[in-house]
Amino acid sequence: MFEAAEIKRLIEQGMACEFVEIQGDDGVHFTGIVVSAEFEGKPKVRQHQAVYATLGRFMGNEIHALQLQTYTPAKWAEVRTDLGF
């Protein structure tokens, strides 16, 4: 089983992030929010692929599913209050 804190650590280690929140308590299914300037100008699919790349071989193996919400810092500033952050 995988821990949400380990996913957070791997993402933060693999890319520059302003905010990362990962949740999940069954050890294989997780949800998360990632905010990074690296997402500027990239479509959502490329943003998600960048996050998945930080998890390497764990994606699809130890981590069965990771449902992501990705934001640029500017977009995060607009929506974070609505999301409760």
Side-chain angles (χ1 to χ4, degrees):
M1 292 182 66
F2 224 71
E3 298 288 327
E6 179 64 5
I7 294 171
K8 181 179 191 283
R9 186 190 71 74
L10 289 168
I11 293 169
E12 290 174 332
Q13 178 182 318
M15 64 188 306
C17 300
E18 293 194 13
F19 179 83
V20 179
E21 173 82 21
I22 303 294
Q23 297 179 353
D25 54 12
D26 71 355
V28 293
H29 300 94
F30 300 91
T31 61
I33 297 171
V34 179
V35 180
S36 176
E38 292 182 29
F39 298 151
E40 294 288 346
K42 294 181 181 174
K44 286 288 184 187
V45 69
R46 295 280 186 232
Q47 294 174 15
H48 291 203
Q49 288 171 340
V51 176
Y52 296 149
T54 67
L55 301 172
R57 66 173 180 82
F58 298 116
M59 266 320 293
N61 293 305
E62 287 88 343
I63 303 167
H64 181 71
L66 174 59
Q67 180 183 1
L68 287 173
Q69 295 179 46
T70 53
Y71 300 98
T72 62
K75 187 64 177 175
W76 179 242
E78 292 176 22
V79 302
R80 70 177 175 205
T81 328
D82 295 338
L83 296 174
F85 291 93

